[in-house]
Every structure is written in structure tokens, then in C-alpha cells.
Amino acid sequence: MAGYRYRITVEPLTDKKGQPLEKDTLTFETENHDEILGIVEKLANRDDLFGREKNISFAVGLKLFSETYIENIKHPQFAPLRAPFKDFMMLLKRGKVRDRGEGTDEDKQDNES
């Protein structure tokens, strides 16, 4: 599948205790049918998700995962995800959770009190 080409780099910084992590940097190249940086830009500042840094991480991880998923959708490993993943992506693309009239469980509890 022809697509956008990317070089992905994961540079280790610290472990769970904040100590330097002495591991090699991981770098690989991959293709994606989407322009990932544009999607990251769209999701980065959504205030209904997880905060800017987590939104960026989420967008990159999701796009890397979803490309493998799309290319291998008939693989038995993905069988349990087919319907739920499609629903998830459709909801994500529709926009902010609060714009759809759906909130978090915390929002629902606040409204019930």
C-alpha cells in the first residue's frame, strides 16, 4: 500500500523511578495511509480527551496501530476488535464527547447528584 512515509524514533529517558534508562533508541520507518502529523495536530488540543501530551501520544499510537490493523484486518488476532474498533473510530472522528451529548462516568455522576 502506497502512503505517507515516516521515521519513528523512541528515545528512552527515565524509568518509573525517574532514573536514566540505559537502553538503545528505537528507530524504524513505516507507511501510513493518513497524514499522521495533521491528525496529531487535530487531536492535540481537544479538551475532551487526555491533555495535550497524552493526546499526541494517543494519536501517534492509534495511527501506528490502526495501520497494522487495516493491513491485516482478516488476521484472527484482530477478530475480536472488528466491530468495536470501527465504532470507536467513528465516535472519535465525530468530535468531542461532550458535543455528542455523551460524558464521562464522572460527568454522569455529577448530573445525578
Side-chain angles (χ1 to χ4, degrees):
M1 174 190 300
Y4 296 89
R5 297 236 0 112
Y6 295 96
R7 178 175 296 119
I8 308 294
T9 301
V10 180
E11 181 181 355
L13 300 175
T14 60
D15 64 16
K16 292 190 264 185
K17 296 179 182 176
Q19 299 300 311
L21 193 56
E22 302 297 328
K23 297 277 187 176
D24 291 338
T25 296
L26 170 67
T27 300
F28 62 94
E29 292 186 10
T30 190
E31 271 187 19
N32 199 286
H33 71 279
D34 283 326
E35 197 277 291
I36 293 175
L37 298 175
I39 292 169
V40 168
E41 188 177 313
K42 287 179 185 176
L43 288 178
N45 294 314
R46 277 191 45 182
D47 60 5
D48 65 318
L49 294 175
F50 322 110
R52 183 173 170 73
E53 290 297 312
K54 287 292 183 182
N55 288 356
I56 292 169
S57 177
F58 170 68
V60 171
L62 180 61
K63 289 312 304 171
L64 294 175
F65 170 79
S66 64
E67 191 70 14
T68 300
Y69 171 76
I70 289 167
E71 290 175 359
N72 299 282
I73 196 164
K74 293 186 179 186
H75 192 286
Q77 186 68 40
F78 291 124
L81 293 180
R82 287 187 192 118
F85 189 72
K86 181 180 177 184
D87 293 344
F88 169 78
M89 290 301 294
M90 290 176 77
L91 286 172
L92 184 63
K93 289 176 180 182
R94 275 193 212 149
K96 295 183 178 183
V97 171
R98 287 173 185 87
D99 290 347
R100 295 191 311 262
E102 302 165 21
T104 63
D105 288 338
E106 187 176 287
D107 292 336
K108 289 175 186 171
Q109 287 174 354
D110 288 346
N111 291 335
E112 291 172 2
S113 354

